[in-house]
Amino acid sequence: MKKLVPLIIAVVAISALSARAADGKALYEASCAKCHGADGKGQTTMGKKNGAKDYSSAAVQAALTDAAAIKAIKEGVKDKDGNSVMKATDGVSDDDAKALVAYMRTLKK
């Protein structure tokens, strides 16, 4: 029985992480892919227009902290003139934003 409890805890934890990653993917597909692309390269029409970063790039990902990515998701992004280049993602909780960032990190090649 003592060996079974840690095993059950591990299975539950892995399931929760898998669900979170799946949620991040679903959120990304619904809210982000139209500009950033399914592959994260930002080569969609809107992505090119707004200068979306290539999240498949290891260098781009290394330069972006999780905190900055979460802030962009929750607050949007403005250019140096104060014009919106990315709207805030409405209705996204802190956990949703973290899941989005975790999924975005999987796009790195």
Side-chain angles (χ1 to χ4, degrees):
M1 185 68 170
K2 288 182 181 181
K3 292 180 182 180
L4 188 59
V5 172
L7 180 61
I8 291 171
I9 291 171
V11 169
V12 169
I14 290 169
S15 297
L17 290 174
S18 295
R20 182 174 169 185
D23 290 344
K25 182 178 181 184
L27 288 167
Y28 181 89
E29 289 171 349
S31 301
C32 310
K34 62 185 160 237
C35 295
H36 291 282
D39 59 3
K41 292 184 179 284
Q43 293 301 301
T44 65
T45 301
M46 288 300 294
K48 290 177 186 178
K49 178 181 174 187
N50 291 328
K53 293 183 180 179
D54 179 359
Y55 291 127
S56 69
S57 165
V60 169
Q61 288 224 17
L64 181 66
T65 65
D66 287 358
I70 289 168
K71 182 177 180 181
I73 291 165
K74 295 193 63 94
E75 298 177 14
V77 176
K78 295 185 180 195
D79 65 15
K80 63 182 183 233
D81 297 323
N83 299 313
S84 179
V85 293
M86 183 180 119
K87 293 181 181 178
T89 307
D90 293 329
V92 174
S93 69
D94 290 342
D95 286 341
D96 289 341
K98 289 176 186 174
L100 273 169
V101 172
Y103 178 73
M104 182 264 302
R105 297 290 186 200
T106 70
L107 301 174
K108 179 174 72 173
K109 301 294 178 202

